[in-house]
Amino acid sequence: MKAKMRAGVLVGMVGAVCSLTVMAPQAWAAAGQDMAYYPAEWGRIGANLVTWDVAPGRALVLSTVGRHLGRYVADDKGRTITYDQAKVIPNYSTYYDSCSQFVQTSYTSTRIRFKQSEGSADMGKSLITADAQEVVETGCDKGLVVWSSTVDDADTYGYNHVLMSLRQGQADLKVGARIAGMKSGAISDGNAAYMSPADIATLTKGRGLQFADASQTFSYRVDAQGWWVLDLPSGQRAYTRLQTDAQGGQVWLMADVVNGKKQWVQKP
């Protein structure tokens, strides 16, 4: 059984985006470089950080739910990545079955497609779609496919893309700058990042961030990719700024780091 995808289900996981009537010529980011894809609309969460050609024809995708390697094919439809192992997320939805019981579901995705729609290969907008489905795991409707999508479906949201070497970065921020949305508490996984309490961090002398609600100051260092890396009680967390708009609103990425590797990315 197949049902239509519910609005917003893929927010923060796949990144479905606005359909456009005029398509820009397809172009590709340079091999081995990181490209950030993030929601164009304020208030929406989710992000993908893709390293194209970690090996010829292969890509690494960091999303809100972890790291996924795969092989990709590039054609006039875009770059379509087939994951080496399906992306599977348990307990994803708040689905009530035909017995009116709250049940567990799982989200599974096997492919994701990125297609440039505006701007250049280095900076612009992209369409992002996926082969995915949500399946009921318990209760009266066990096995029911609640919704499904394919890489050939139309898009519903707008995503920006930017080559990470061209992002704005944080070098211009001065002592006293206050940054809303940062989190110093433990996060079980990237998909839960938006549900954990956000804080306001103030930049202090000596590369420190003072968290207001936590009443603690943590020092940070700048890694080779220009991210701020903090040693928190729960482990290492990294932040980097992508852009600032004309009204002063800012877009950041956050990630937890284990053994020098970012485990997921999220737009706070």
Side-chain angles (χ1 to χ4, degrees), residues 240-256:
T240 190
R241 186 173 60 175
L242 296 177
Q243 73 172 82
T244 301
D245 68 12
Q247 289 73 44
Q250 301 186 15
V251 177
W252 288 69
L253 286 182
M254 62 183 292
D256 274 354

Side-chain angles (χ1 to χ4, degrees), residues 22-78:
V22 179
M23 300 298 294
Q26 190 66 62
W28 309 117
Q33 298 202 45
D34 292 339
M35 178 73 71
Y37 300 84
Y38 58 98
E41 296 85 3
W42 290 106
R44 285 187 57 231
I45 63 165
N48 290 283
L49 183 61
V50 182
T51 304
W52 295 106
D53 293 298
V54 289
R58 292 183 59 76
L60 170 65
V61 182
L62 269 71
S63 69
T64 60
V65 292
R67 301 167 60 91
H68 294 86
L69 280 164
R71 56 180 175 81
Y72 75 85
V73 175
D75 54 28
D76 60 352
K77 296 180 180 180

Side-chain angles (χ1 to χ4, degrees), residues 87-175:
K87 182 191 295 185
V88 180
I89 306 150
N91 304 320
Y92 172 60
S93 181
T94 55
Y95 176 75
Y96 287 84
D97 67 6
S98 56
C99 297
S100 299
Q101 298 175 331
F102 175 72
V103 295
Q104 296 179 355
T105 65
S106 65
Y107 163 93
T108 301
S109 180
T110 56
R111 294 194 301 168
I112 187 169
R113 176 178 292 164
F114 300 84
K115 183 177 178 65
Q116 177 193 325
S117 59
E118 291 183 29
S120 69
D122 294 341
M123 186 179 298
K125 293 184 180 296
S126 286
L127 309 177
I128 307 176
T129 51
D131 287 347
Q133 65 178 10
E134 185 181 13
V135 179
V136 177
E137 299 292 348
T138 59
C140 298
D141 300 335
K142 184 176 180 179
L144 174 69
V145 177
V146 180
W147 60 259
S148 63
S149 66
T150 77
V151 292
D152 295 315
D153 285 347
D155 309 300
T156 57
Y157 294 104
Y159 261 56
N160 296 321
H161 69 255
V162 62
L163 196 65
M164 288 295 281
S165 59
L166 299 179
R167 72 190 186 280
Q168 183 178 12
Q170 307 86 256
D172 63 304
L173 293 177
K174 308 296 185 184
V175 170

